[in-house]
Amino acid sequence: MSPLAENRSPLAENLRAVRARIDDAARAAGRDPAEVRLLAVSKTWSADDVRALAALGQRHFAENRVQELAGKAAALAEDPAVPELHWHLVGQLQRNKVAPVARLGATVHSVDRASLVTALARAAEHEQRVLDVYVQVDLGGPEGELGSRGGAPPTDVPGLADAVAGAPELRLRGLMAVAPRGEEPAPAFERLAELAARLRADHPGASETSAGMSGDLEAAVTAGATVVRVGTALFGTRPLASGAEQ
């Protein structure tokens, strides 16, 4: 069993601290804290660590890799002591790996191209599911250059959103983004809020915004994020196999 699973006190303290940060940021922005959901990013951490956090009341968990997502979900589904969990994929998704995601009914936060919309819709139809998805937008970087955070250019967002909304097997939840490296997050999240408002004008049901991580969740909540993706502030620091820390 992992150190976190053996001693839940640090994990419980971390969970309380993160939730307090979210609540404080929401109230400071004149928002109801209940509007913001915490998504625990458990990538690189074990199923035991997820189990420990689930025992503290956390229900939404995210992974970056499909293999890790499927493995942990299967392991925990076999444990009768673990309540039903809601799984999310926040990493980049290849079309040839959509089947396990659809099988789990996981929410996909990283839809960034039309071909992926088609692949997800087909996989969801095969599994007789309706998948919740977010369109990931690239917020750019210094001097407007695209960064390495992933996502579709803002000009592609309306078309992708229309494609998702036009697929009966998919449900458009809103937008997802990661603040660019090398600049303050607040202006980037303000740009995301503007894009989200335009999206809602065309798709009123797409009311969610997935943004903010351990280091910048306050700025994201201030800008209207409804989902914050937190890993390090919950589980602690560990070298990651790939991708940015959440």
Side-chain angles (χ1 to χ4, degrees):
M1 183 173 291
S2 71
L4 282 180
E6 290 175 359
N7 184 354
R8 296 181 182 180
S9 295
L11 191 59
E13 292 173 4
N14 290 346
L15 181 60
R16 285 193 294 269
V18 169
R19 286 180 170 165
R21 288 174 62 189
I22 293 171
D23 291 354
D24 289 347
R27 292 190 184 99
R31 300 179 60 195
D32 181 353
E35 296 174 356
V36 186
R37 182 168 68 249
L38 171 62
L39 180 54
V41 181
S42 48
K43 62 182 183 183
T44 78
W45 294 92
S46 73
D48 284 336
D49 297 320
V50 174
R51 183 181 289 107
L53 195 58
L56 295 170
Q58 180 65 26
R59 296 292 180 266
H60 289 265
F61 291 87
E63 296 291 334
N64 263 38
R65 295 172 175 267
V66 173
Q67 184 175 359
E68 195 170 2
L69 170 70
K72 288 179 190 173
L76 294 168
E78 295 173 355
D79 186 344
V82 177
E84 182 179 1
L85 303 179
H86 303 277
W87 291 97
H88 302 245
L89 184 76
V90 296
Q92 299 303 299
L93 179 59
Q94 298 175 9
R95 286 178 295 167
N96 63 351
K97 294 184 178 179
V98 298
V101 175
R103 200 170 300 123
L104 282 173
T107 298
V108 180
H109 289 240
S110 51
V111 170
D112 58 0
R113 58 200 187 279
S115 60
L116 182 56
V117 174
T118 301
L120 280 169
R122 288 175 178 169
E125 181 181 24
H126 182 267
E127 297 296 334
Q128 297 185 331
R129 286 184 177 272
V130 175
L131 297 181
D132 288 343
V133 304
Y134 293 76
V135 171
Q136 183 177 0
V137 56
D138 192 327
L139 295 178
E143 300 180 359
E145 294 183 4
L146 294 182
S148 60
R149 296 297 204 176
T155 53
D156 290 354
V157 168
L160 281 174
D162 289 345
V164 172
E169 306 83 6
L170 305 179
R171 183 183 297 114
L172 179 64
R173 303 301 298 177
L175 297 182
M176 185 275 259
V178 182
R181 294 185 175 92
E183 69 174 53
E184 289 297 316
F189 289 142
E190 289 171 4
R191 296 196 297 273
L192 178 62
E194 293 173 0
L195 290 169
R198 293 178 208 163
L199 178 68
R200 288 193 299 273
D202 294 329
H203 302 282
S207 59
E208 296 191 16
T209 301
S210 172
M213 302 189 295
S214 293
D216 58 16
L217 68 85
E218 285 85 359
V221 172
T222 299
T226 60
V227 179
V228 293
R229 310 179 305 273
V230 178
T232 301
L234 287 172
F235 294 103
T237 302
R238 176 182 288 183
L240 301 178
S242 65
E245 290 188 4
Q246 302 286 334

